[in-house]
Each structure stands twice: as structure tokens, then as C-alpha cells.
Amino acid sequence: MNLLVLGPQGAGKGTQAKRISTEYGIPHISTGDMFRAAAAAGSELGKQVEPILASGELVPDELTVALIRERLGEDDAQQGFVLDGFPRNLAQAEALDEMLSSIGRQLDAILFFDIPDSVGIERALERARLEGRDDDTPEVIKRRLEIYHSETEPVVEHYRVTGKLVPLHAERSVQDVWREIEEALERVGAAA
């Protein structure tokens, strides 16, 4: 099952994507986690992305597309994946669609975590405090939300027309959102 999760910061995408990964035996592919790991490791990619992450801006498309293409080619992603953190703009969505087509794969569902900004900000700040993430300052969170509204929201509409977009009520409890996801994935599995 090839899944994409979309939604603003603090919507619970990562939490639910990890659970989908565990329950369905497919890898959770988080570009943010991969970029942070590269920065922490001091790799060449890490040196390129560290100042970008610190400013709250988006990593350039060509770096992100190359990273995702490589990751989807690994053995554990052959039976499916949960992609988190990409695409964040229409150009990336088109690049993802093109890349998947070129490797003979397609998205089975796009899970859209819909949440009010105020709830997302509160959750992101709490996550930053709990995880000690210094890239999640109030200013950076606000900037990421601005980018989300201007650049990522059009991606939701791009996928809505495919008939594969599944809106989720992400402001609810983790367990309530999980039940909604399970029901959606049962329908996707039955349709496949």
C-alpha cells in the first residue's frame, strides 16, 4: 500500500504514519527525519540542509526528489510506504507523480490531516519541548505554517481530484484519528 500523508505541522502526521508503518509492515519515510539525521551526521547533504532547516525554509526540490527516489528503491519499500513531509508544493507533487509513474507505482491513498492552525501550533511547540527540537521555535513554526498555506494547500487540491484524498479530522484524539485511518485503509484495501 503506497500512502502519502499531508497536513500542517502539528497535525499528527508523523505519529499516525509511524503507527501505519508498524501495523501494515511498510516503512515510514519522513523527509524531515532524513534531513535532520543527515544534518546531525554532518554528511555532505546534512551540511547543505542544516541552515535551511534552521531558517524554517524548504529544502530545494532537487535535493528532496533525489532523496525520495533513492529511498523508494530500497528493499523494504517494495511492498509499500507511508511518505511524510513530501510533497510540499505543486512542483514536488508533479515530480512525485512522475517519479512513481517512472518506477511503475502509484499512490493508493492520500491521507489529509485537517487541523486548525491554533491546535497545530500548540502541538508543535509541545513536541519541540518534549523532543528538544531546536528547529521548532515559535517563529519557525509560524513561518512553516505560512509556507504550508501558500505552497502545500494547493497540493491537497491537486490530489483531491484523483478521488484518492481521504480527509481526516486531525484535531481529535490520537485514537479517534487512528480509527478513522483504519476505516479508510480498509476501504482502500477492499478497492485494490
Side-chain angles (χ1 to χ4, degrees), residues 35-55:
F35 288 140
R36 280 188 288 277
S43 69
E44 194 55 44
L45 174 65
K47 290 174 187 167
Q48 291 177 53
V49 301
E50 190 169 26
I52 300 168
L53 294 177
S55 71

Side-chain angles (χ1 to χ4, degrees), residues 136-156:
D136 275 348
T137 64
E139 297 76 24
V140 168
I141 291 167
K142 184 174 185 277
R143 177 69 183 131
R144 285 191 187 133
L145 270 174
E146 289 169 3
I147 292 170
Y148 171 79
H149 289 303
S150 66
E151 296 187 26
T152 309
E153 277 184 347
V155 173
V156 173

Side-chain angles (χ1 to χ4, degrees), residues 68-185:
I68 295 295
R69 179 184 292 277
E70 184 177 298
R71 182 63 182 91
L72 292 182
E74 293 179 21
D75 289 344
D76 67 337
Q78 297 315 299
Q79 298 306 309
F81 56 84
V82 183
L83 187 56
D84 176 9
F86 176 93
R88 292 199 176 184
N89 59 47
L90 280 174
Q92 287 181 353
E94 290 163 0
L96 176 64
D97 296 346
E98 186 178 302
M99 177 184 61
L100 289 173
S101 177
S102 75
I103 61 175
R105 296 172 83 171
Q106 64 177 349
L107 293 170
D108 295 308
I110 299 90
L111 304 176
F112 171 48
F113 290 72
D114 198 8
I115 189 170
D117 284 356
S118 59
V119 176
I121 290 169
E122 187 178 309
R123 286 182 180 176
L125 288 171
E126 180 63 11
R127 177 185 67 198
R129 188 185 68 73
L130 291 173
E131 296 178 8
R133 283 178 48 173
D134 54 8
D135 63 325
D136 275 348
T137 64
E139 297 76 24
V140 168
I141 291 167
K142 184 174 185 277
R143 177 69 183 131
R144 285 191 187 133
L145 270 174
E146 289 169 3
I147 292 170
Y148 171 79
H149 289 303
S150 66
E151 296 187 26
T152 309
E153 277 184 347
V155 173
V156 173
E157 298 314 310
H158 171 81
Y159 286 116
R160 190 180 309 275
V161 300
T162 68
K164 296 179 180 182
L165 187 80
V166 179
L168 302 167
H169 303 92
E171 75 283 356
R172 297 180 309 156
S173 74
V174 170
Q175 195 54 39
D176 285 346
V177 175
W178 175 249
R179 277 195 290 278
E180 199 173 356
I181 290 169
E182 280 186 310
E183 290 169 11
L185 295 183

Side-chain angles (χ1 to χ4, degrees), residues 47-68:
K47 290 174 187 167
Q48 291 177 53
V49 301
E50 190 169 26
I52 300 168
L53 294 177
S55 71
E57 297 297 321
L58 297 179
V59 174
D61 291 356
E62 58 277 2
L63 288 176
T64 307
V65 171
L67 183 73
I68 295 295

Side-chain angles (χ1 to χ4, degrees), residues 17-26:
K18 288 174 188 157
R19 186 158 181 189
I20 292 167
S21 173
T22 300
E23 297 286 333
Y24 290 85
I26 56 178

